[in-house]
Amino acid sequence: MARRSGIRRTDALIRTERWQALGFITPAVAGLSLFTVVPVALAIIMSLFDWPIFGERTFVGFDNYAELLTSSPDFWPALRNSVVFTVLYVPINLVVALGLALLLGPRIRGRAVFRVLFFIPVVTPIVANVLVWKLILQPDGLLNGLSRTMFGFELPNFLVDANWAMISIVVMSVWAGMGYNMLVLTAALEQLPASVVEAARIDGARGWRILVHITIPLISPAIFFATVMTIISSLQVFAQPQLLTGGGPGTSTMPIVMFIYNTGFKFQDLGLAAAAAWILFALIIGVTALQFRAQKRWVHYEH
Amino acid sequence: MKLRIAAFSAAAVAIMTAASACGSSSGEGSGEGSGSGSGATITWNMWSGDNESTKKLEAQMAVAQQLVPDVKIELQTAPWTDYFTKLNANMASGKLACITSMNGQRLSGYTAALTPLTDEDLKVAGISRGDYNPGALSVMEHGGKLYGLPYDTATMFLYYNADLFKKAGVAEPTNTWTVDDFEAAAKTITEKTGVKGFAVSIDEFQWLSLPMAKAGLQVVTEDGKLDLTNPTFVKAAEWYSGLVTGLKVSNAVPSASETTWDPGQFETGKAAMIIDGTWNATKYTGKDMPFTGGAVRIPSGAAGPFGVALGSGYGIAANCENKQAALKVLGALAGPKVQAVIAQQGGYPAQLGSQPLYFQALAADSKEKLTAAFTSAFDGASAQRVTEKWTQVTTAFPQELVSVYAGQKTMADALGGLQQRFAQ
């Protein structure tokens, strides 16, 4: 009998806790619904309409998607630019961030100061970063000025040269973004199990072998996290090309988000912009899902 | 399980609600104006990028407020570069300000959001068509309907740095200058002073004006079709880009995001001449410039003097709840008292009767030259024509032109590409 009442009390407690939990979670769920679920649902609906900013809206089914995929002159170049940026930016960012994290290891004096220095571009407004890089990259800027006076050599006009504009954006973005992944990887490096590293050393492993066979596998969860997040953010790149090159020359640096912004807010076609946003969303979800599938092959979790 | 069903039902209801909201036609919403008749508040949305411009607008508003004491006017501003994006966002949410400022070249994209003004409306506003030059209202007209009242009239000028002309021993530009005179002066100044004779532009009329004047035609035909590949214009535009790539009398624009590069070059003395709007006439010829500035009409091409009239004005939002009060405010803001303030502030008023005030307000040392430039520039100027996709065209100009100036694309290819993309 006593046992039965104990069970009843536990059930009652669970029920009470469930309501309490629901109470605690409600504000977050309400916020999520209001600012995420409803806009997302609206965007799906919007993408099926001819939806001008002002005036009559008409249902057009999948016409917006068809227009983007078959007749919009800027959609494919914009999508290609986002992919090119991601393919260039993500590996460089990760290699630089990992390199910095390894360099600023525990043996460096004043490493905290260096970490702060490398992290400053991450917290500096992107507009300020871009202004500095414009002063460096423009024809009468720092880089060309140095080259001209020291070597008498005229550098290309980086921001309007079709071959250099995207590279300039990637270099600037790596500089601005490397600090974040550096911090993530530094944290992982500081958690390396000393016993494993020690055992490898006793076995005679040194330098490169330790890095490739011990360190990287051990921090692979952090690398995986950094890769997933960096790919997502680089597929959404907007501010750097918008401010640095204005999407030019031609459409060579116009990313898909700039295309969406222009289509929706400059050219007033919200339906077409929503459809493009959904294609980008599908691309990001697809790439992320692939990464999660592939992680089993290379990400090493300590159990 | 029950919770899951409840959550699913809530999401479904949210989506259904959203869907039903979408189904309804837009154009609803209140407009930024409240109350009725006496005691109403009318919002006036206008572009302004700095404190000085905002102060000028506040001075205009103060005068308008005295004319309509029973209606409260509220000013909302956004910088020019963001103004139309903000306007689009306001339109999407049905929150367009009752008095919305509109640029004539962009009017075609906003006619659905503005209410056409009838002769009855003009009567309420206390404005007559006769207050304007014949054709001056056309900047605010579309499809035969009037969507607003212009507050200024503008065209493009050739501005020059007189100090650099003197240094190079070149005679200052005149209102009868031809494109050949311009080219010769740019070459001599570049050679003799080491400063570039000109700064090319990637921005709308700042770049279009000189090739249009050389060709003697606009890039939109009279029946509203984009005509960028007209051979005469292409040839003139090639000459224009050749100022950078061939004659090297101008530097190349460093990035497609630098739409205001050329005024910067001129103001800092790095270029002897630029093309810019008449709205900058008092600034570029004023005492605050580090050199003596001058202005003349755009040089003529083989076909003779050529110019286009531009302008901006104020319209009334289609969703404005208090149209009568808005009309009164519109009448005050576009009327002669505020036009006089605009003239004092260095803007060239749209109303015929107020234009002499502009010249009266000019500084003594630039009065004669600017009066001659204005008189000459508006002589025979035709209204600027645009197409439905003009915003797309002007957005793409900078991206294409930087490639041309960098020598990576020919002007003919750039214009051909734009024509192909935006001609329909």
Side-chain angles (χ1 to χ4, degrees), chain A residues 55 74 162 243-244 246 249-250 265, chain B residues 26 88 112 255 257 399 403 408 421:
Chain A
D74 292 340
L243 297 165
L244 205 58
F265 294 104
Chain B
S26 69
N88 287 339
S255 158
S257 62
Q399 297 165 349
S403 305
Q408 297 199 325
R421 280 164 70 190

Side-chain angles (χ1 to χ4, degrees), chain A residues 87-235:
Chain A
V87 168
L88 291 173
Y89 171 73
V90 176
I92 300 175
N93 176 296
L94 287 170
V95 168
V96 172
L98 181 61
L100 281 176
L102 288 167
L103 279 174
L104 299 178
R107 270 179 285 175
I108 299 278
R109 280 187 81 181
R111 62 185 189 279
V113 176
F114 282 110
R115 279 178 198 160
V116 170
L117 283 177
F118 286 119
F119 199 69
I120 283 176
V122 179
V123 290
T124 309
I126 194 79
V127 177
N129 285 338
V130 168
L131 273 179
V132 172
W133 277 84
K134 259 190 181 169
L135 293 175
I136 295 172
L137 293 171
Q138 63 193 18
D140 51 355
L142 178 74
L143 215 54
N144 200 28
L146 284 176
S147 165
R148 223 182 278 154
T149 49
M150 291 173 77
F151 310 109
F153 183 70
E154 191 76 25
L155 292 173
N157 191 347
F158 296 106
L159 301 178
V160 300
D161 186 310
N163 301 315
W164 283 100
M166 182 59 91
I167 294 171
S168 307
I169 290 172
V170 170
V171 171
M172 188 253 147
S173 303
V174 168
W175 175 84
M178 66 192 175
Y180 182 78
N181 282 341
M182 178 200 74
L183 227 57
V184 171
L185 297 172
T186 303
L189 283 173
E190 291 194 347
Q191 299 298 317
L192 281 184
S195 57
V196 178
V197 179
E198 190 62 29
R201 281 191 195 284
I202 291 168
D203 286 346
R206 290 285 179 276
W208 185 253
R209 284 195 85 162
I210 288 239
L211 176 69
V212 174
H213 296 291
I214 306 294
T215 312
I216 289 181
L218 282 175
I219 63 165
S220 56
I223 297 178
F224 175 66
F225 168 79
T227 311
V228 170
M229 298 309 285
T230 312
I231 288 183
I232 291 174
S233 65
S234 54
L235 282 171

Side-chain angles (χ1 to χ4, degrees), chain B residues 406-421:
Chain B
Q408 297 199 325
K409 201 179 224 181
T410 66
M411 184 59 99
D413 284 348
L415 294 174
L418 289 169
Q419 178 75 19
Q420 203 181 355
R421 280 164 70 190

Side-chain angles (χ1 to χ4, degrees), chain A residues 234-294:
Chain A
S234 54
L235 282 171
Q236 295 172 339
V237 67
F238 173 70
Q240 297 94 308
Q242 171 81 1
L243 297 165
L244 205 58
T245 60
T251 51
S252 65
T253 57
M254 181 206 279
I256 186 73
V257 179
M258 195 191 288
F259 173 84
I260 294 167
Y261 170 79
N262 283 348
T263 307
F265 294 104
K266 277 192 170 171
F267 311 152
Q268 306 182 354
D269 195 339
L270 294 178
L272 202 64
W278 270 98
I279 293 174
L280 174 64
F281 176 79
L283 178 70
I284 290 175
I285 287 284
V287 170
T288 309
L290 271 180
Q291 286 176 279
F292 270 89
R293 283 198 127 196

Side-chain angles (χ1 to χ4, degrees), chain B residues 255-281:
Chain B
S255 158
S257 62
E258 300 261 6
T259 46
T260 56
W261 174 81
D262 40 319
Q265 293 285 297
F266 182 67
E267 285 174 49
T268 53
K270 291 177 184 169
M273 292 181 277
I274 55 160
I275 304 288
D276 206 346
T278 46
W279 52 87
N280 277 325

